Amino acid sequence: MSVTTIAVGLSGCLSGGRSDASGDDVSLAVVEAHQYSSPGCSCCSQYAAYLGERIDGTVMETTPDDIATVKRRYDVPDELRSCHTLTVGKYVVEGHVPAPVIATLLDDEPELDGVALPGMPAGSPGMGGSKQGPFTIHEFDDGQASGVYTEY
C-alpha cells in the first residue's frame, strides 16, 4: 500500500461560471480528506490533485492492494462504484464527484452515508474529455442506493 499526502492551501478563487468541472469555484473547509485510489489508475491522482486545490486542509491518498475491500468497508453499493473512494467528514464520496456537490453535502449534512458518481464519466474532475450533459450524483445509505442526490 502506498500513501501520498497532498497539502495545498487555497490562495483565492478559481475561475467560475464554466460548465465543466475544471472551473469549480469552491473552497472545502475541511481539515482532512482521505482518498483510497485504485492501483494503476492515473485519474485517481488527478482527482486527488483537483481536491487538493479546493480543500482548506490536506488530502491523503492511499493506494490499497485491494480497493474492493475499502468499498465494502464503507458500504459503497456495487452499482455506484467508481475507481476511488473518498472519506471527508462523516461522509463517503465515491468517484469523480465535483467539489461544489461535496461542499453542499457538508453544508446540508443530510442523513445518509455518502454520494457517488458511478463510473468514470468524461469531463468529470480528474477525467479527460468533455462533459456531455449533467452528472447524476446518487446518494447511498446502509449499503443501498437510495436515490438521486443532485444533478450537476
Side-chain angles (χ1 to χ4, degrees):
M1 173 177 348
S2 65
V3 177
T4 305
T5 301
I6 301 169
V8 179
L10 290 172
S11 58
C13 294
L14 301 167
S15 64
R18 293 171 38 183
S19 62
D20 65 14
S22 63
D24 295 340
D25 185 13
V26 67
S27 171
L28 298 172
V30 295
V31 175
E32 183 176 297
H34 191 156
Q35 180 174 301
Y36 300 91
S37 300
S38 293
C41 183
S42 64
C43 70
C44 293
S45 292
Q46 291 174 28
Y47 185 77
Y50 161 85
L51 286 180
E53 294 171 356
R54 290 157 177 82
I55 195 168
D56 190 16
T58 61
V59 177
M60 185 166 63
E61 183 182 12
T62 303
T63 304
D65 294 330
D66 182 9
I67 192 71
T69 299
V70 171
K71 295 175 187 308
R72 282 191 300 274
R73 179 183 343 144
Y74 290 108
D75 289 332
V76 178
D78 290 344
E79 67 272 21
L80 299 183
R81 291 184 181 181
S82 183
C83 53
H84 53 264
T85 302
L86 176 76
T87 59
V88 57
K90 66 179 186 176
Y91 296 104
V92 177
V93 177
E94 179 70 11
H96 297 263
V97 176
V101 175
I102 298 171
T104 300
L105 177 72
L106 297 173
D107 286 345
D108 291 351
E109 298 183 337
E111 292 298 320
L112 50 89
D113 290 339
V115 296
L117 178 55
M120 299 164 68
S124 61
M127 291 296 298
S130 298
K131 187 175 176 186
Q132 302 296 312
F135 299 128
T136 301
I137 314 297
H138 301 268
E139 58 185 51
F140 61 92
D141 199 38
D142 295 325
Q144 300 292 319
S146 54
V148 172
Y149 179 70
T150 192
E151 289 197 344
Y152 181 84

